[in-house]
Amino acid sequence: IDTPIVVLLGTKFPMIASHKVLAAYACLAPRVLAGQFDPNRHRAIWPSTGNYCRGGAAISKIMACRGVAILPEMMSQARFRWLEKWTMVPDEDIIATYGCESNVKEIYDKCNELEQDASNIVFNQFSEFGNHLAHYLCTGKAIETVFEHLRERNPELKLRLYSSATGSAGTLAAGDYLREKYGSRTIAIEALECPTLLYNGFGGHNIQGIGDKHVPLIHNAMTTDFVNGISDLSTDSLLLLFNTEVGRSYLRERRHVPEHIMAELDQFGFSSICNILAAIKTAKHLKLGPNDLVATVASDGASMYEAEKAELLHSRFNGRFDELTAAEVYGQHILGATVDHVLECTSTDRERIFNLGYYTWVEQQGIEFKAFMERKKPEFWCKLRELLPAWDKLIDKFNEEATGPL
């Protein structure tokens, strides 16, 4: 495609090499400031499908308090090995729940069980609005900075789309910021094997980092413009293409991919590749041109999936990944990225997606019906943003009291 795609790299974030550490901080900080979390007597519970619980565990460690990671048992082995080094009591502080990426309800069930103990404080990224607000402001402004830099070179450039996997819906919030600033449109992405927003569907998949089969409480469904389904066959295959010697050789010699791009391919994990593919597909769907920019994020890198590479080689390619295989993968999943499973949302589609959340949050998790429905109104989300400057002042005051004037 002629359309430029800008990818912000989450691997540049400290401690966990993923931008999910931002979400963890944003959920924790308001509770600390309000006196609702005391690291001297509380355990922080971090429910996640991978990177958010790592962010929570890292922050817990530097605060010298107990952090408990809850994640599905089928997440990458690298995540579990990493957590063993960062949690205080690994046998107690790493809880593997049943299933794969899409088994989020099982995580909620474990949180509800642990919450019976008053010393456990659950920081549920799927319902903590700090997650939404941090990405609205920080990720939104980061993309704004990059876009303005690029627009200095090309004044005709327009920010048309923002692409993000659903996951906890925190990262999606940057789309609200960009919509207000530039009039861009937001793509919510999910695994084609679990097409909840697309087709009210369900299933398991391997696009780790985009836990699904429900609509997060912090998902502003009424500002979702597109839903895009990406198959884990594509993300599995491209992870191997980008991170094997034969795959890189093919890209370099046959496709003439520039070296500065080649050097960054290991920055893309499964969900990162998913975000990029959706950007390509939606740009094709809209027939965008060279002055139309699509922005997205790469939540984590390929290093989280080293153990999975050998398994994928056998399960997807019968143990053989040669130059012909690399060409087939490139042809099928890059050149062959079609506009199927792309939904351009009408008001009825947005209503349907919003309504799906009722079953998780009102029926299962006991959210008050009125509070659930308030989220349909634009003014609800605008009012939330008034918390941001208030939190900043409280953080400054907290730090000054702790360390003296800076």
Side-chain angles (χ1 to χ4, degrees), residues 248-389:
R248 289 187 170 218
S249 175
Y250 170 80
L251 292 171
R252 183 181 292 110
E253 296 172 16
R254 298 298 300 272
R255 291 296 166 180
H256 310 295
V257 176
E259 282 302 321
H260 73 279
I261 298 293
M262 295 292 299
E264 303 289 358
L265 291 179
D266 62 353
Q267 306 294 308
F268 304 148
F270 290 123
S271 65
S272 308
I273 295 169
C274 171
N275 287 351
I276 295 165
L277 286 176
I280 293 169
K281 288 179 64 170
T282 313
K284 283 186 175 182
H285 172 78
L286 293 174
K287 299 180 174 59
L288 300 185
N291 292 325
D292 300 313
L293 183 135
V294 185
T296 190
V297 294
S299 301
D300 66 7
S303 64
M304 272 292 106
Y305 310 103
E306 281 300 317
E308 279 64 36
K309 282 165 55 178
E311 182 181 331
L312 291 175
L313 183 63
H314 287 279
S315 63
R316 294 296 194 187
F317 300 104
N318 295 318
R320 182 173 181 176
F321 196 93
D322 55 19
E323 186 173 348
L324 179 60
T325 310
E328 290 173 343
V329 167
Y330 189 87
Q332 182 178 356
H333 301 291
I334 299 289
L335 296 180
T338 61
V339 297
D340 59 343
H341 308 294
V342 175
L343 171 67
E344 190 165 356
C345 293
T346 64
S347 58
T348 302
D349 293 318
R350 295 187 182 98
E351 289 265 353
R352 175 183 59 81
I353 292 168
F354 179 90
N355 292 342
L356 280 175
Y358 171 88
Y359 304 100
T360 295
W361 298 106
V362 179
E363 290 198 343
Q364 292 177 12
Q365 304 303 321
I367 296 291
E368 184 185 347
F369 178 72
K370 182 180 179 183
F372 175 82
M373 293 302 294
E374 282 292 312
R375 299 159 40 261
K376 188 180 283 191
K377 302 173 184 175
E379 50 267 33
F380 170 86
W381 302 94
C382 293
K383 187 75 174 173
L384 265 185
R385 292 164 202 155
E386 295 175 9
L387 291 169
L388 289 165

Side-chain angles (χ1 to χ4, degrees), residues 91-378:
D91 287 346
E92 298 178 10
D93 295 347
I94 304 171
I95 299 174
T97 53
Y98 168 80
C100 66
E101 180 64 30
S102 61
N103 290 95
V104 177
K105 183 182 181 297
E106 289 78 0
I107 297 173
Y108 292 166
D109 291 343
K110 177 55 71 172
C111 286
N112 292 336
E113 176 189 324
L114 292 173
E115 211 165 19
Q116 301 306 307
D117 182 342
S119 67
N120 292 327
I121 305 297
V122 176
F123 296 96
N124 188 343
Q125 62 170 332
F126 299 92
S127 58
E128 292 270 349
F129 288 99
N131 183 6
H132 170 92
L133 289 170
H135 283 295
Y136 170 85
L137 183 66
C138 301
T139 306
K141 277 186 172 290
I143 294 169
E144 175 188 17
T145 300
V146 173
F147 173 66
E148 291 297 343
H149 173 73
L150 293 172
R151 195 156 63 166
E152 289 175 5
R153 303 182 201 169
N154 177 10
E156 301 299 314
L157 204 61
K158 295 181 177 63
L159 181 54
R160 297 290 301 276
L161 293 169
Y162 170 67
S163 165
S164 173
T166 48
S168 68
T171 313
L172 272 173
D176 286 0
Y177 180 93
L178 299 170
R179 170 194 297 275
E180 293 160 16
K181 185 81 178 181
Y182 299 109
S184 64
R185 302 168 78 185
T186 301
I187 310 163
I189 315 159
E190 58 187 2
L192 189 58
E193 289 76 14
C194 186
T196 305
L197 308 187
L198 271 173
Y199 307 126
N200 294 10
F202 53 88
H205 65 89
N206 191 45
I207 309 181
Q208 299 186 33
I210 65 168
D212 41 23
K213 220 155 46 178
H214 77 305
V215 181
L217 192 70
I218 66 168
H219 183 170
N220 186 0
M222 307 314 287
T223 57
T224 298
D225 299 292
F226 295 90
V227 179
N228 204 313
I230 301 294
S231 173
D232 66 0
L233 173 61
S234 295
T235 53
D236 286 352
S237 301
L238 291 173
L239 188 85
L240 287 175
L241 180 70
F242 294 165
N243 294 281
T244 56
E245 194 56 46
V246 66
R248 289 187 170 218
S249 175
Y250 170 80
L251 292 171
R252 183 181 292 110
E253 296 172 16
R254 298 298 300 272
R255 291 296 166 180
H256 310 295
V257 176
E259 282 302 321
H260 73 279
I261 298 293
M262 295 292 299
E264 303 289 358
L265 291 179
D266 62 353
Q267 306 294 308
F268 304 148
F270 290 123
S271 65
S272 308
I273 295 169
C274 171
N275 287 351
I276 295 165
L277 286 176
I280 293 169
K281 288 179 64 170
T282 313
K284 283 186 175 182
H285 172 78
L286 293 174
K287 299 180 174 59
L288 300 185
N291 292 325
D292 300 313
L293 183 135
V294 185
T296 190
V297 294
S299 301
D300 66 7
S303 64
M304 272 292 106
Y305 310 103
E306 281 300 317
E308 279 64 36
K309 282 165 55 178
E311 182 181 331
L312 291 175
L313 183 63
H314 287 279
S315 63
R316 294 296 194 187
F317 300 104
N318 295 318
R320 182 173 181 176
F321 196 93
D322 55 19
E323 186 173 348
L324 179 60
T325 310
E328 290 173 343
V329 167
Y330 189 87
Q332 182 178 356
H333 301 291
I334 299 289
L335 296 180
T338 61
V339 297
D340 59 343
H341 308 294
V342 175
L343 171 67
E344 190 165 356
C345 293
T346 64
S347 58
T348 302
D349 293 318
R350 295 187 182 98
E351 289 265 353
R352 175 183 59 81
I353 292 168
F354 179 90
N355 292 342
L356 280 175
Y358 171 88
Y359 304 100
T360 295
W361 298 106
V362 179
E363 290 198 343
Q364 292 177 12
Q365 304 303 321
I367 296 291
E368 184 185 347
F369 178 72
K370 182 180 179 183
F372 175 82
M373 293 302 294
E374 282 292 312
R375 299 159 40 261
K376 188 180 283 191
K377 302 173 184 175

Side-chain angles (χ1 to χ4, degrees), residues 8-33:
L8 277 70
L9 302 179
T11 53
K12 306 302 181 184
F13 274 79
M15 297 186 293
I16 72 168
S18 168
H19 74 154
K20 284 290 189 175
V21 74
L22 168 66
Y25 172 78
C27 294
L28 176 73
R31 299 283 196 97
V32 173
L33 296 168

